[in-house]
Amino acid sequence: MPELKLYHGVSSVCSVKVRIGLAEIGLGYDEVILDLQAGDQHAPEYLALNPDGVVPTLIDRDLVLRESSLIIEYLDREYNDGLLMPRGRAAEATARHWLVRCLAVHSAINTLTYATVMRQRIRETKDQHEIDGMLSRIPDPVAREKRRVLIEQGLDTPHSAQALGILRRTFSDMDRALRQGDWVSGPAFGLSDIALVSFIDRLWRLGLEGFWSRDRPSIGHWLAAMQARPSYESEVTGRIPEAAADEMREQGARHWPKLEAFWKRLEN
Ligand SMILES: N[C@@H](CCC(=O)N[C@@H](CS)C(=O)NCC(=O)O)C(=O)O
């Protein structure tokens, strides 16, 4: 059995992605849970492993692996005979494209999460001095500035339109894939499905399924199929604290009317 150690956040979408990958492959691991609200990701010992101060990070013996898409692909190749990678040059290229595309999808999910639920939580629990301190510890200047703007202005920034634009294109391409096979990866479940589910799950948890329920029902059916898998039960439902789940649904519902208006504007 490999000796794996995962540094992760319980509710973080990028961490959920890797946990689902580990569960699907059937790999055990030691874990170090980071409290992202408390700033554990900015501790010097963690920054030595992950200089961006983000989760997840996977340690496999002498190797430090970062980037959730790269981690799940590595695990599949190294410990699963690549069975989650679809066969054939074209299918493989498409799967890798989805893995890279997760960077943009994550950016959109990060915008919507921070502009709604996290903004509210941060403003309720921290004063301006603490917020400035928290921001100053984010190593990546682009991520730092985006976080500042979202905390200050919520959904009323160009980040919202960018996020929704990314999601519209993502849903459109997922829908096209899902019309051709049961999974985004093709006829068989695979890496693209694992890579995407935590993001779509986050939108669902925020009560934003209106983004796809009317125009792209294939996405709802795919999410239901993902939710029926044991990996979802063990890594998502079983691990995201109920209070966090309630908070997401509540904040998401509060912001839905504004988001729906933005969404409709994009349609025109
Ligand atoms: N592209 C990276 C993104 C990692 C990332 O941004 N993780 C978030 C959680 S989903 C994080 O650690 N945030 C902590 C922070 O921003 O301070 C990946 O997929 O691994």
Side-chain angles (χ1 to χ4, degrees):
M1 257 324 225
E3 283 176 33
L4 304 170
K5 186 172 180 180
L6 181 68
Y7 291 78
H8 69 110
V10 186
S11 308
S12 118
V13 281
C14 311
S15 302
V16 167
K17 185 166 146 188
V18 170
R19 293 207 308 263
I20 290 182
L22 286 158
E24 287 288 345
I25 297 172
L27 291 167
Y29 57 95
D30 289 334
E31 64 179 354
V32 179
I33 298 177
L34 276 71
D35 181 343
L36 301 182
Q37 302 326 304
D40 291 354
Q41 70 276 33
H42 300 133
E45 316 83 70
Y46 185 67
L47 288 174
L49 298 173
N50 190 319
D52 286 331
V54 293
V55 286
T57 301
L58 183 81
I59 313 291
D60 183 6
R61 292 158 291 166
D62 56 331
L63 219 54
V64 179
L65 295 140
R66 299 183 285 266
E67 281 300 330
S68 51
S69 286
L70 297 180
I71 295 174
I72 58 173
E73 192 192 3
Y74 168 84
L75 290 170
D76 181 50
R77 194 177 56 242
E78 198 69 14
Y79 298 114
N80 196 39
D81 297 326
L83 292 173
L84 291 167
M85 179 63 87
R87 294 283 168 259
R89 283 164 65 240
E92 238 184 73
T94 304
R96 292 220 162 80
H97 194 250
W98 276 115
L99 293 178
V100 170
R101 203 162 169 190
C102 281
L103 291 173
V105 180
H106 174 248
S107 161
I109 298 300
N110 170 276
T111 296
L112 295 183
T113 305
Y114 265 90
T116 58
V117 63
M118 293 307 297
R119 173 178 194 246
Q120 179 80 11
R121 193 193 297 171
I122 289 167
R123 286 158 65 105
E124 274 173 5
T125 56
K126 295 188 196 305
D127 62 27
Q128 193 55 48
H129 181 68
E130 290 168 315
I131 294 175
D132 290 342
M134 178 190 80
L135 292 171
S136 72
R137 285 187 284 278
I138 297 176
D140 174 8
V142 176
R144 190 191 313 137
E145 178 57 14
K146 176 179 172 187
R147 184 78 44 92
R148 186 188 65 72
V149 167
L150 294 181
I151 292 172
E152 281 173 11
Q153 299 172 46
L155 287 172
D156 298 319
T157 78
H159 289 292
S160 296
Q162 286 164 9
L164 298 194
I166 290 168
L167 292 179
R168 276 187 73 80
R169 299 179 66 213
T170 304
F171 294 154
S172 163
D173 292 343
M174 282 179 75
D175 184 51
R176 192 167 317 117
L178 291 168
R179 282 166 194 269
Q180 287 163 22
D182 286 347
W183 303 100
V184 178
S185 297
F189 171 83
L191 284 177
S192 310
D193 303 288
I194 297 173
L196 286 163
V197 67
S198 66
F199 303 126
I200 308 301
D201 177 72
R202 169 61 57 82
L203 295 173
W204 177 77
R205 262 165 214 287
L206 286 167
L208 306 180
E209 64 266 37
F211 285 155
W212 63 79
S213 54
R214 190 170 51 100
D215 296 340
R216 312 251 186 240
S218 62
I219 293 172
H221 299 147
W222 169 84
L223 179 62
M226 289 299 302
Q227 290 175 329
R229 298 181 76 86
S231 62
Y232 182 91
E233 177 57 34
S234 66
E235 304 312 320
V236 190
T237 319
R239 295 206 69 166
I240 295 185
E242 222 163 273
D246 290 347
E247 187 188 19
M248 282 188 235
R249 204 144 262 277
E250 194 183 306
Q251 287 304 322
R254 208 160 72 77
H255 291 92
W256 171 244
K258 189 173 221 171
L259 284 167
E260 190 182 25
F262 285 166
W263 193 253
K264 287 204 169 124
R265 219 172 298 152
L266 282 184
E267 281 170 1
N268 299 323

